[in-house]
Amino acid sequence: MDETVAEFIKRTILKIPLNELTTILKAWDFLSENQLQTVNFRQRKESVVQHLIHLCEEKRASLNDAALLDIICEDVDLFDMKQFKNSFKKILQRALKNVTVSFRETEENAVWIRIAWGTQYTKPNQYKPTYVVYYSQTPYAFKSSSTLRRNTPLLGQALTVASKHHQIVKMDLRSRYLDSLKAIVFKQYNQTFETHNSATPLQERSLGLDINMDSRITHENIVEKERVQRITQETFGDYPQPQLEFAQYKLETKFKSDLNGSILAEREEPLRCLIKFSSPHLLEALKSLAPAGIADAPLSPLLTCIPNKRKNYFKIRDK
Amino acid sequence: MEQANPLRPDGESKGGVLAHLERLENQMSRSRKQSEEPQSVQAQERVLGTKIQKLRHLRDDLKAAVRHRRGSVKACIANVEPNQIVEVNEQEALEEKLENVKAVLQAYHFTGLSGKLTSRGVCVCINTAFEGNLLDSYFVDLVIQKPLRIHHHSVPVFIPLEEIAAKYLQTNIQHFLFSLCEYLNAYSGRKYQADRLQSDFAALLTGPLQRNPLCNLLSFTYKLDPGGQSFPFCARLLYKDLTATLPTDVTVTCQGGEALSSSWEEQRASHETLFCTKPLHQVFASFARREKLDMSLVS
């Protein structure tokens, strides 16, 4: 059996909850009754899956069989806004008697949620609410930073259960501009595509140099300027950059020095330091560094990977 | 002293002389005028005549100049090597061919799946359609490397693009594209039906249409006779198959009456079947037609 097929079947079976596994395998009708009887479904899931893969190999499962299994256990998201709101509210209200939850649906399938937190004994504090924007039928929600630490796990749980997802993960991406966060998270910041229908042909790169200048004036380092321009364009593209205000790097690395016997280099423990870049529009600022001559092109990948990796808070350790 | 006047009647001659002189003077001025008029007219004629001649000369000169220029240009062309003329014709033919090819490439997007080579790979364009109506277009920009990867795309975030890519992109790109086309066309079709229902048949709906981003769960209440006394129906359409434009589960209930009369029950059941088998807006179109028919029968 092909490795890819085996991997595919393994991933599909891993997604099935244990209590549904026997029903689905029976519906699949690929492994025989005898084979299924040899499997101990009370083991740890990994062992069950391994055993099943082994049986599939014995029977030489093909890609078609794997695809059929996939169709049977496809988990389709039937998002019902009413159900989500009820579920979300119930979970919070069951845990904290005093909590105010309000919803507002907007265009683009987003629901704004306002939560004012109280405790078992105190009324909800209406002056420090948390705002959450959830985009239905996507695995993403955006939360304002004004939440007390102790309420965050509960909020996560409410979102996960109400949206029928399995777990919630915090992303290291923060900004004051919701649209920019959306653009980065949904990968929608680069929306120009080449087609045969486009009326505008690919234009010549203009160096931003004054072409009407006197022809007796030349740029000595025009080759270098063009190289920098090309690299910048390849890295950052032609589109407007999403707006972020910070990039923060927490370093825990050993000090590297050329000098022998430097005190810092002899330290066993890694040094800890925090580097924070801030700007009204960080990514545009980074984009202009090389053309302005302030930095060499290409820029460090730690700076240029921000939209791609969807992070602006980094922890860097020695490998 | 009186001078002898040969003509002489006495009294008359004085008056006669002066009068005669006057007469002679008038005669002279008249004849001068007469001789002047044709003269001035003639003079004018002569002047104009010369002008006409001058202009004719000028025209002839200009015509000659134009002829001369044309002749010299032709002579130039005649002197040019024959290759260059052929090149001009070839160039025109190539330009025409280029225009044709461009038009064909533009027309390709009517096939639903087209692409354009880019510097790093290919940009695939998926044009969705439903019932002969061209709907939204979506792009996937692929980088041709090992492994093949998606550079960027305009597929909505609720379409399981990453899942489809994980399954097929590396092993069978055709399957990847066709699967993605299926999902996108089905989504576009469902969205189109929901939009048509909201825009064309709002009169038959008694409440807002509830829909989700994928348009795979729709619920709405409707009445067959908008002004009438009948109870509204509640419909809930589930599209569990994301590659289909018809629902997999339909529930129609009647608000209000718990014990439905048999005719209502029949209607309810028939509506359920209709929603399962025909696109949503077509079902409502048939409701609207029936309503009109009923109205015309009543009146």
Side-chain angles (χ1 to χ4, degrees):
Chain A
M1 186 167 78
D2 204 320
E3 253 183 48
T4 41
V5 177
E7 183 63 27
F8 185 11
I9 297 182
K10 181 167 157 213
R11 282 203 197 173
T12 318
I13 299 181
L14 274 172
K15 278 199 273 182
I16 309 171
L18 268 173
N19 52 351
E20 293 175 32
L21 196 47
T22 28
T23 0
I24 291 184
L25 287 174
K26 283 206 186 117
W28 187 29
D29 203 20
F30 174 74
L31 296 170
S32 67
E33 276 283 331
N34 293 333
Q35 282 179 305
L36 286 177
Q37 274 175 9
T38 62
V39 181
N40 178 6
F41 289 98
R42 302 240 183 90
Q43 300 174 77
R44 265 180 42 234
K45 194 163 187 190
E46 285 85 33
S47 324
V48 176
V49 172
Q50 273 197 357
H51 196 163
L52 288 168
I53 300 289
H54 188 63
L55 292 174
C56 290
E57 270 176 6
E58 272 178 20
K59 248 200 155 176
R60 301 220 199 100
S62 70
L63 190 56
N64 280 334
D65 300 313
L68 191 58
L69 177 64
D70 185 54
I71 294 177
I72 293 172
C73 48
E74 192 162 316
D75 182 23
V76 175
D77 187 356
L78 290 159
F79 180 78
D80 187 337
M81 182 60 83
K82 238 197 254 175
Q83 219 174 56
F84 171 81
K85 292 200 272 195
N86 288 338
S87 180
F88 186 86
K89 209 167 185 175
K90 249 193 236 165
I91 292 167
L92 288 183
Q93 284 174 338
R94 250 187 256 153
L96 290 174
K97 261 198 306 199
N98 293 308
V99 64
T100 322
V101 185
S102 354
F103 299 95
R104 185 166 152 246
E105 289 167 53
T106 63
E107 303 279 303
E108 284 186 46
N109 306 306
V111 55
W112 283 71
I113 313 171
R114 179 185 178 278
I115 306 145
W117 305 91
T119 65
Q120 296 283 350
Y121 311 104
T122 59
K123 280 210 172 144
N125 184 352
Q126 300 294 341
Y127 297 98
K128 291 202 179 144
T130 303
Y131 296 95
V132 177
V133 186
Y134 174 57
Y135 287 86
S136 46
Q137 286 183 318
T138 77
Y140 297 106
F142 302 87
K143 174 181 89 76
S144 68
S145 55
S146 56
T147 317
L148 288 172
R149 274 241 186 106
R150 63 163 181 261
N151 292 321
T152 313
L154 178 59
L155 176 60
Q157 196 189 5
L159 274 172
T160 320
V161 175
S163 64
K164 294 194 195 156
H165 282 104
H166 300 298
Q167 55 161 178
I168 191 161
V169 172
K170 186 168 152 221
M171 291 174 71
D172 293 317
L173 183 65
R174 285 168 237 175
S175 166
R176 291 178 61 193
Y177 301 95
L178 179 62
D179 286 336
S180 296
L181 286 176
K182 261 174 60 189
I184 294 177
V185 164
F186 297 154
K187 303 210 171 187
Q188 284 170 349
Y189 48 84
N190 180 4
Q191 294 292 293
T192 47
F193 298 93
E194 287 184 48
T195 67
H196 291 295
N197 289 338
S198 46
T200 51
L202 292 173
Q203 280 157 344
E204 285 291 316
R205 301 271 108 245
S206 83
L207 283 177
L209 305 165
D210 189 358
I211 17 174
N212 292 326
M213 262 195 332
D214 199 325
S215 57
R216 292 171 296 183
I217 303 175
T218 58
H219 280 270
E220 274 302 305
N221 57 348
I222 200 162
V223 172
E224 176 61 16
K225 278 206 161 122
E226 281 172 357
R227 185 191 75 92
V228 166
Q229 202 75 344
R230 186 177 43 85
I231 292 182
T232 307
Q233 201 253 332
E234 277 170 11
T235 320
F236 290 92
D238 284 329
Y239 42 84
Q241 303 290 317
Q243 202 164 358
L244 298 172
E245 309 85 50
F246 304 108
Q248 187 173 290
Y249 299 83
K250 238 187 203 169
L251 300 181
E252 272 186 36
T253 56
K254 289 195 77 168
F255 188 82
K256 289 186 182 76
S257 161
D258 291 332
L259 306 166
N260 285 326
S262 131
I263 297 174
L264 288 172
E266 282 172 7
R267 269 175 74 97
E268 280 299 317
E269 288 171 29
L271 285 170
R272 290 197 181 82
C273 69
L274 185 76
I275 301 175
K276 189 168 182 179
F277 295 91
S278 55
S279 160
H281 199 323
L282 183 74
L283 293 175
E284 282 291 341
L286 290 176
K287 181 175 175 182
S288 59
L289 280 179
I294 299 173
D296 288 331
L299 289 175
S300 160
L302 282 173
L303 292 171
T304 56
C305 70
I306 292 172
N308 220 353
K309 285 209 167 150
R310 307 191 281 188
K311 285 172 88 144
N312 59 352
Y313 283 75
F314 296 83
K315 284 204 178 81
I316 300 163
R317 296 199 177 91
D318 282 326
K319 284 190 193 143
Chain B
M1 213 157 62
E2 273 183 40
Q3 286 221 331
N5 192 349
L7 290 179
R8 105 142 172 195
D10 263 42
E12 286 180 29
S13 67
K14 274 189 199 164
V17 167
L18 286 178
H20 193 68
L21 278 178
E22 225 178 89
R23 263 184 267 127
L24 283 176
E25 202 180 318
N26 287 338
Q27 232 181 13
M28 206 174 74
S29 70
R30 245 185 278 135
S31 71
R32 205 186 287 159
K33 249 197 217 164
Q34 276 176 5
S35 66
E36 252 183 18
E37 282 183 13
Q39 267 182 23
S40 67
V41 168
Q42 278 171 18
Q44 279 182 10
E45 274 182 23
R46 250 179 276 127
V47 166
L48 290 175
T50 23
K51 205 173 180 187
I52 289 172
Q53 279 176 8
K54 265 197 213 160
L55 290 173
R56 278 190 188 143
H57 274 298
L58 187 59
R59 178 200 65 189
D60 293 337
D61 287 343
L62 287 172
K63 271 192 181 168
V66 165
R67 248 181 277 127
H68 180 72
R69 283 264 175 96
R70 274 202 193 137
S72 65
V73 164
K74 275 194 185 151
C76 272
I77 292 180
N79 287 339
V80 159
E81 290 175 34
N83 282 341
Q84 290 189 9
I85 305 178
V86 169
E87 266 178 31
V88 165
N89 290 336
E90 267 181 16
Q91 193 182 3
E92 280 178 9
L94 279 176
E95 274 178 12
E96 210 184 290
K97 259 195 193 172
L98 186 63
E99 287 303 314
N100 275 342
V101 169
K102 275 192 191 166
V104 169
L105 285 174
Q106 282 190 12
Y108 253 97
H109 81 277
F110 289 112
T111 62
L113 182 64
S114 55
K116 178 170 192 264
L117 285 178
T118 63
S119 54
R120 16 155 212 261
V122 64
C123 181
V124 176
C125 174
I126 298 174
N127 301 97
T128 56
F130 183 68
E131 289 185 338
N133 300 296
L134 199 58
L135 303 169
D136 296 320
S137 308
Y138 303 98
F139 297 90
V140 179
D141 195 318
L142 294 167
V143 178
I144 297 184
Q145 274 174 3
K146 276 215 160 100
L148 201 57
R149 65 182 175 89
I150 299 176
H151 186 256
H152 65 288
H153 63 86
S154 68
V155 175
V157 85
F158 38 78
I159 301 280
L161 174 64
E162 266 130 30
E163 277 177 32
I164 305 172
K167 275 187 227 172
Y168 304 119
L169 185 59
Q170 306 306 327
T171 49
N172 186 349
I173 192 171
Q174 248 189 350
H175 201 158
F176 165 74
L177 290 172
F178 288 140
S179 180
L180 188 59
C181 273
E182 254 190 330
Y183 275 88
L184 287 171
N185 273 291
Y187 160 67
S188 264
R190 293 193 300 268
K191 182 160 162 290
Y192 176 77
Q193 292 175 59
D195 291 339
R196 286 291 296 275
L197 174 60
Q198 268 182 310
S199 61
D200 298 352
F201 302 103
L204 292 171
L205 293 176
T206 58
L209 170 68
Q210 314 256 348
R211 55 198 277 186
N212 61 9
L214 268 171
C215 292
N216 68 342
L217 199 163
L218 304 175
S219 77
F220 49 90
T221 48
Y222 63 100
K223 258 189 181 186
L224 289 182
D225 52 343
Q229 297 285 327
S230 61
F231 289 113
F233 288 105
C234 274
R236 194 174 146 98
L237 275 57
L238 289 163
Y239 300 74
K240 282 194 190 145
D241 182 357
L242 290 179
T243 61
T245 51
L246 285 176
T248 49
D249 297 89
V250 174
T251 338
V252 177
T253 51
C254 199
Q255 262 182 2
E258 276 180 11
L260 289 175
S261 63
S262 62
S263 68
W264 280 121
E265 180 52 40
E266 256 181 56
Q267 250 192 353
R268 190 202 64 78
S270 80
H271 287 189
E272 267 186 10
T273 324
L274 275 175
F275 285 127
C276 273
T277 50
K278 282 172 77 178
L280 190 55
H281 59 298
Q282 283 181 20
V283 177
F284 270 81
S286 69
F287 289 165
R289 274 196 301 271
R290 228 183 284 167
E291 167 72 0
K292 267 201 200 143
L293 199 58
D294 287 340
M295 292 292 286
S296 65
L297 286 176
V298 164
S299 61

